[in-house]
Amino acid sequence: MADIKAPVFPESVADGTIVEWHVAEGQQVNRDDLLAEIETDKVVLEVVAPDDGVVTQIVKQVDDTVLSDELIAQFEAGASAAAAPAAEEAPAESAQAADGGEPAQAPAQNASNDADHKDQSPAVRKAAKESGVDPKNVEGSGRGGRVTKTDMANPTLKADSSIKSDSGRPVAESVGERTEKRVPMTRLRKRVAERLLSASQDTAMLTTFNEVNMKPLMDMRAKYKEQFEKRHGVRLGFMSLFVKAATEALKRFPAVNASLDGDDIVYHGFYDIGVAVSSDRGLVVPVLRDTDRMSMADVESRIRELGGLAQKGKLGLDDMTGGTFTISNGGVFGSLMSTPILNPPQTAILGMHAINERPMAVDGKVEILPMMYLALSYDHRMIDGKEAVQFLVTIKELVEDPAMLLLDL
């Protein structure tokens, strides 16, 4: 008999919650089969089978809180699942059915529930887990009334009394055409809320703004994007140049790349830039390591890789810890201007926004140019206003003249 334990969490993660068991007690599994998922305040961690065998006992149930390396199940390697005694149970069930007893109907109901679960797509099951809404209570728009991912994103509830989550808590009620949905916050959403509130309360946060002419960068991208993609196998986007520009600016203004630890200032001799990514589970910030050593192609490739992992919920803890600076791009959603909130213990965050054509004065003439507002939020306890403004101006200058990065000017 072997122990199945929760993963070893890093120091920044106190505990986790079991959000799903993919196996039942007595079920036979193969090596590396997914057994359970544990959600922390950063990522969802997977627990897999250590070998071929049988899960003999589940110790921790769904919604239970588990600590690092805590026992969650028992496992017997090399064992096989016992055959179900269907032949022995069949006569008893038939007798009860003949007498009109209810027990004979229970297996049929359970089989129906199992069939419903198997007929649901992975996307529907994932949406159900995150929202707490049972797909059986949602009006399906698919063939034969089947519930789709779109149905789960904006559910139309069946006209019955109340809908409850797996934990039994009511999450929605249908009263005519007026509906409400109440769902418990995920650990990730709770942690994001706590960190944002802490950042606004525990730091002297201030934001400075500037605007950047995106025409030079757009012209460069239009000219070289096909060659770039052919050479490197990845599309040339704007984020890679902003990452490289930010890296250069961080070299010139070390305080922006520093962090506060109590009464100490920690100046980092490396450049790990977090890039905020929106996922189905909320905002996550995977980190690009040593961006001063990365080419633009490296940056684009890594951003694409991390973004894909974020959408699948497959980011690891190592992917999301230890950043020294963060870039958030609200422009992809159409944001014209915003005030990004710090990601403690970092002392600054850069906000990119939508590119809009605006009339601008150039050498005494009015020209229509693609402009972007930039915002730098910073901890005023650590960074003076002069440094913050100069840092942002440096990024502006590098973006407006990309050749400066290549020439190390």
Side-chain angles (χ1 to χ4, degrees):
M1 198 73 66
D3 293 340
I4 302 294
K5 296 184 178 181
V8 177
F9 305 148
E11 293 181 1
S12 60
V13 176
D15 53 34
T17 300
I18 294 182
V19 292
E20 185 172 0
W21 276 102
H22 292 267
V23 296
E25 288 186 352
Q27 182 172 335
Q28 186 170 353
V29 296
N30 297 321
R31 183 184 181 90
D32 294 330
D33 279 356
L34 179 61
L35 303 181
E37 294 181 63
I38 299 177
E39 184 179 50
T40 73
D41 54 25
K42 294 183 181 293
V43 294
V44 174
L45 302 174
E46 296 182 345
V47 180
V48 299
D51 208 335
D52 297 347
V54 172
V55 177
T56 57
Q57 181 184 8
I58 293 178
V59 178
K60 292 290 186 176
Q61 306 299 324
V62 171
D63 292 334
D64 283 355
T65 298
V66 295
L67 302 177
S68 179
D69 204 32
E70 184 176 5
L71 177 69
I72 62 172
Q74 295 283 352
F75 180 82
E76 185 174 353
S80 59
E88 298 178 5
E89 294 178 359
E93 291 174 3
S94 300
Q96 289 183 342
D99 293 338
E102 294 182 358
Q105 298 175 1
Q109 180 64 40
N110 291 338
S112 175
N113 289 342
D114 290 342
D116 288 343
H117 180 75
K118 292 176 181 177
D119 286 343
Q120 295 162 10
S121 69
V124 169
R125 293 199 296 269
K126 180 181 178 182
K129 181 180 68 174
E130 293 175 349
S131 67
V133 176
D134 192 327
K136 295 196 299 293
N137 298 316
V138 175
E139 294 285 355
S141 62
R143 180 179 298 179
R146 192 170 186 175
V147 177
T148 67
K149 180 181 178 182
T150 303
D151 297 329
M152 293 299 295
N154 187 19
T156 299
L157 303 175
K158 294 180 179 178
D160 52 10
S161 56
S162 63
I163 311 300
K164 297 182 181 296
S165 68
D166 292 338
S167 62
R169 292 177 54 187
V171 297
E173 290 189 358
S174 177
V175 183
E177 295 182 355
R178 293 166 59 84
T179 62
E180 288 185 345
K181 182 169 72 172
R182 183 189 300 269
V183 298
M185 294 175 68
T186 64
R187 292 178 65 94
L188 175 62
R189 178 60 62 186
K190 287 180 183 178
R191 183 57 175 160
V192 169
E194 291 170 359
R195 289 177 65 85
L196 294 180
L197 185 61
S198 173
S200 62
Q201 292 179 340
D202 299 337
T203 64
M205 193 170 69
L206 188 63
T207 304
T208 184
F209 299 91
N210 213 314
E211 58 184 358
V212 57
N213 176 13
M214 293 292 291
K215 190 175 187 306
L217 182 55
M218 294 173 72
D219 289 345
M220 183 189 77
R221 181 175 181 269
K223 183 177 180 179
Y224 296 109
K225 65 179 181 180
E226 293 184 3
Q227 293 175 255
F228 186 91
E229 186 170 359
K230 184 177 180 180
R231 173 75 178 271
H232 301 290
V234 65
R235 295 181 61 186
L236 175 60
F238 296 136
M239 182 59 78
S240 57
L241 189 86
F242 274 92
V243 168
K244 296 301 291 182
T247 302
E248 179 59 33
L250 291 171
K251 292 179 182 179
R252 302 182 189 184
F253 302 94
V256 185
N257 196 48
S259 61
L260 289 175
D261 184 11
D263 294 330
D264 296 332
I265 301 173
V266 181
Y267 290 94
H268 304 293
F270 48 88
Y271 306 93
D272 291 351
I273 296 182
V275 179
V277 175
S278 178
S279 72
D280 292 340
R281 298 177 57 245
L283 186 71
V284 293
V285 188
V287 179
L288 303 172
R289 308 289 179 186
D290 297 316
T291 55
D292 56 321
R293 302 178 184 177
M294 299 176 74
S295 67
M296 291 178 63
D298 293 335
V299 173
E300 292 289 354
S301 179
R302 186 57 175 159
I303 289 176
R304 181 178 180 180
E305 179 184 359
L306 292 172
L309 292 174
Q311 296 303 325
K312 297 176 184 177
K314 300 295 185 181
L315 284 172
L317 289 171
D318 291 342
D319 296 324
M320 302 173 62
T321 55
T324 61
F325 184 76
T326 296
I327 300 177
S328 177
N329 185 7
V332 295
F333 305 110
S335 172
L336 180 63
M337 183 180 291
S338 66
T339 302
I341 299 179
L342 294 174
N343 184 20
Q346 298 173 23
T347 54
I349 178 173
L350 176 70
M352 298 167 56
H353 298 92
I355 302 171
N356 287 327
E357 290 190 341
R358 295 201 299 274
M360 305 296 295
V362 180
D363 297 329
K365 298 179 181 179
V366 176
E367 293 187 17
I368 304 300
L369 296 174
M371 304 298 294
M372 175 194 287
Y373 286 118
L374 296 178
L376 181 75
S377 293
Y378 59 99
D379 191 340
H380 211 344
R381 299 175 301 168
M382 176 70 197
I383 303 170
D384 294 332
K386 177 183 177 182
E387 285 180 302
V389 171
Q390 290 177 332
F391 176 88
L392 194 57
V393 168
T394 298
I395 292 180
K396 168 185 168 68
E397 292 174 345
L398 293 173
V399 172
E400 290 185 339
D401 190 357
M404 295 178 66
L405 281 172
L406 301 177
L407 299 175
D408 194 23
L409 298 176

